[in-house]
Amino acid sequence: MRNPVSMSRDHVQSAERSAGSAEAPFLELLARGASADAYEQPVLVARAEGRPAERIAALEQAKLVALRVRSELEGRRRREAELSALFETAHDLAGLRDLDAVLQAIVQRARSLLGTDVAYLSLNDPARGDTYMRVTEGSVAARFQQLRLGMGEGLGGLVAQTARPYVTDDYFKDERFQHTRTIDGGVRDEGLVAILGVPLMLGHHVIGVLFAADRRARVFEREQIALLGSFAALAAAAIDTANLLTETRSALAGLERANEIIRDRSGVIERASDVHDRLAELVLRGGGVHDVAAAVAEVLDGKVEFTEAAATPAEALEASRAEGHAVRHGDDWIAAVAAGGELLGALVLHGHPGLDPVDQRTLERAAMVTSLLLLARRSAAEAEQRVRGELLDDLLDARDRDPRLLRERASRLHADLDATHVVLAARLDGTAADAEQEADARRRLWSAASHLAATRHGLAAARDGGTVLLLPLKPGDTATALARRTAGHLGTAVHEAVTVGASGPVEDLATRPDSVAAAYEEGRRCLDALRLLGRSGDGAAAEDFGFLGLLLAGDRDITGFVDRTIGQVVTYDERRGTDLLRTLDAYFACGMSPARTKDELHVHVNTVAQRLERVGRLLGDDWQSPARALEIQLALRLHRLSAPTQH
């Protein structure tokens, strides 16, 4: 029987012969979903066989890339599983038949996705003034499953009092909440250590708490807290829907028109169930927020549109967010689309002043589905932004990257590294009140820059307290114009002044990655120059600073500077055999005195005046202003130094 190492070695050699590259073994590992430990095997086999150091280094590099791809794929699978569970739960809620079954499904999915030992849900009992266990999953202790707790006791009491999530790494060592013998006994029987609790909210009221807990010390991540909060919102919605059904049935009992009202209510509920089924189908097949609005409009027989938060009546929007319900605004109904504490927009139903309560719930559920859809889209966009940032970081920092791989990575992002680009350094100019506000402002700048890069087929990354962009330069465009447009675009997006310094055009980025780093330094120098000159909120390139551009430019474009400054005079002398350049040299050497200049050149003073008049026509009327005169003198000297020595 062959040993595993030999089999792995044969497997690796076979993959290398078939693909002929260092990436082949790892691609096969990725394809069959191998564990992280398996990625060490190709390197170990190569070392055991005495392969060249270059081959081993290539395998090491390919291994790191493959592990990063594997991590990204696992993250995406995890996010897809989370969204799928939320959509399935929302679908269960839409066709609500058994409240216990829906709550049990919510607790089971929360436990599975968070990977905890136990998950449970408690509800408040207003009649008895305490709270009790409603649903448990993974519990093994009978006393724990039958706990009834006084209001304000334990971690759940702290969640109910503050209406905010709380988490403890070690329950028995945490003194933030009130410990009681009953609660501690139940928790000890269950063996719980780390506990996370999030509130179940109906409007401003906490009706219960959803928990996830482990029998060992554990730190719950922010994404896990947000995920459990989403399940809590669905659980509260299920309870609210069940309560609404109970209230409806109670109100109908004993009325003469019971059958007619029941039929009417049944029709409304069926319409609500139908719209939720259609919404779930829309989301699963990749529909957008406007598709959701169109589906709800058809069911409610009215005009429904998604609006940005800034374009929605602020008072009504805030009331809807705070209460968790759609609110009436004139003849319209507004349902806030929110995630956590962030307002993402609103669904607005126009021209329906009298809205049936179940139709109102339908609008509210549609707003919830819209928020989930927006969060999913944002997650995908953030993932793409990170990939774009990583590629630009590699161009800036890793000078020895394989050009072919760089081109392939750029191509997947619809970027062309063989095109002419400009590197731009952007930074906010506002002063933040504290570190948290400053970090938030930088995140907004990075987000706006990433969106701009994606729409312009470029790249963007956060760097040095600001943002760096790599944007293609279109034919006929200039680095200066691109810098000014970028400053204006980013400033409008973040509602603050953004200063942008640009490099000159750079080419062959894949084969000359060091040029990207040099261009970034040039852009940063331009950015610093703009801020020192009091031009915050503006954009410029080195060519805009005259002779100062020589100090800012990475390649010191002396020929270009001379040509821009006195090129017309040089051309005139060459074509006509005149002495305008020599006259300019003498004129400046003689302190800009025509009388002393004519003695220096041994010509009549009128000849000097005529030559200077011709210079003025070529260079412009302001050529003798202090700033222009300084640039012209520097250009004259550089022209002399660059001219061949005459023997």
Side-chain angles (χ1 to χ4, degrees), residues 373-385:
L373 181 60
L374 289 174
L375 286 176
R377 295 291 170 81
R378 176 188 291 180
S379 177
E382 288 176 351
E384 181 177 340
Q385 289 173 358

Side-chain angles (χ1 to χ4, degrees), residues 488-538:
H489 181 97
L490 295 179
T492 300
V494 302
H495 305 293
E496 291 187 39
V498 177
T499 307
V500 176
S503 72
V506 289
E507 299 177 344
D508 300 326
L509 305 183
T511 56
R512 296 176 54 242
D514 55 326
S515 64
V516 181
Y520 173 54
E521 292 302 322
E522 180 180 328
R524 287 186 62 191
R525 288 194 291 270
C526 289
L527 172 63
D528 293 338
L530 283 171
R531 301 178 78 180
L532 288 172
L533 294 171
R535 290 175 57 185
S536 295
D538 198 359

Side-chain angles (χ1 to χ4, degrees), residues 288-557:
V289 293
H290 298 293
D291 297 322
V292 173
V296 177
E298 183 177 344
V299 172
L300 298 184
D301 192 23
K303 179 183 178 183
V304 179
E305 65 174 342
F306 173 78
T307 61
E308 300 290 343
T312 309
E315 186 175 348
L317 181 62
E318 180 57 32
S320 175
R321 184 196 66 79
E323 297 174 10
H325 294 293
V327 299
R328 183 175 170 181
H329 181 72
D331 289 341
D332 302 335
W333 284 85
I334 295 176
V337 176
E342 181 182 2
L343 278 171
L344 304 175
L347 282 184
V348 181
L349 172 63
H350 295 284
H352 265 269
L355 191 63
D356 184 279
V358 178
D359 284 344
Q360 180 182 340
R361 295 293 187 272
T362 296
L363 184 63
E364 293 163 1
R365 301 300 181 265
M368 181 186 298
V369 171
T370 301
S371 70
L372 291 174
L373 181 60
L374 289 174
L375 286 176
R377 295 291 170 81
R378 176 188 291 180
S379 177
E382 288 176 351
E384 181 177 340
Q385 289 173 358
R386 285 193 297 272
V387 173
R388 289 181 181 274
E390 289 171 358
L391 176 55
L392 183 51
D393 283 335
D394 284 348
L395 287 171
L396 287 166
D397 299 328
R399 314 291 174 81
D400 57 349
R401 294 286 184 184
D402 184 343
R404 181 178 57 82
L405 292 178
L406 290 174
R407 287 191 181 94
E408 289 178 358
R409 291 169 61 188
S411 177
R412 287 193 291 269
L413 298 171
H414 305 291
D416 181 8
L417 296 186
D418 292 323
T420 302
H421 286 72
V422 171
V423 179
L424 304 107
R427 193 174 301 167
L428 290 166
D429 288 300
T431 302
D434 53 40
E436 184 176 350
Q437 289 187 5
E438 181 178 355
D440 181 64
R442 289 181 179 178
R443 282 193 295 270
R444 286 188 285 110
L445 174 62
W446 176 74
S447 179
S450 297
H451 178 72
L452 176 63
T455 57
R456 302 288 175 83
H457 304 295
L459 305 173
R463 205 171 187 87
D464 300 323
T467 301
V468 55
L469 299 95
L470 181 68
L471 298 180
L473 188 65
K474 297 180 180 178
D477 201 1
T478 64
T480 298
L482 182 58
R484 288 176 178 167
R485 288 198 306 272
T486 302
H489 181 97
L490 295 179
T492 300
V494 302
H495 305 293
E496 291 187 39
V498 177
T499 307
V500 176
S503 72
V506 289
E507 299 177 344
D508 300 326
L509 305 183
T511 56
R512 296 176 54 242
D514 55 326
S515 64
V516 181
Y520 173 54
E521 292 302 322
E522 180 180 328
R524 287 186 62 191
R525 288 194 291 270
C526 289
L527 172 63
D528 293 338
L530 283 171
R531 301 178 78 180
L532 288 172
L533 294 171
R535 290 175 57 185
S536 295
D538 198 359
E543 63 187 22
D544 301 311
F545 293 91
F547 75 92
L548 289 176
L550 292 175
L551 305 177
L552 300 174
D555 57 2
R556 303 292 192 268
D557 185 13

Side-chain angles (χ1 to χ4, degrees), residues 131 149-163 177 183 209 211:
T131 185
L149 316 175
M151 300 301 291
E153 297 176 350
L155 184 143
L158 186 62
V159 174
Q161 284 178 346
T162 62
F177 41 82
I183 300 174
V209 180
F211 299 88

Side-chain angles (χ1 to χ4, degrees), residues 1-14 17 45 49:
M1 181 175 182
R2 300 175 65 190
N3 64 65
V5 173
S6 298
M7 293 175 67
S8 298
R9 182 182 297 113
D10 294 343
H11 194 64
V12 170
Q13 290 173 342
S14 174
R17 286 193 298 271
V45 171
E49 294 178 347

Side-chain angles (χ1 to χ4, degrees), residues 109 120 125 214 224-225 234 262 313 401 421 463 515 578:
R109 289 166 183 160
Y120 51 102
D125 187 343
D214 256 337
Q224 295 173 321
I225 297 174
L234 292 173
I262 289 174
R401 294 286 184 184
H421 286 72
R463 205 171 187 87
S515 64
T578 54

Side-chain angles (χ1 to χ4, degrees), residues 29 56 75 80 137 220 235 285 311 354 363 372 383 403 424-425 444 475 513 525 537 542 548 561 567 613 629:
L29 291 172
I56 294 175
E80 289 172 358
E137 177 67 17
F220 287 95
R285 72 166 187 250
L363 184 63
L372 291 174
L424 304 107
R444 286 188 285 110
R525 288 194 291 270
L548 289 176
F561 171 72
E613 181 182 0

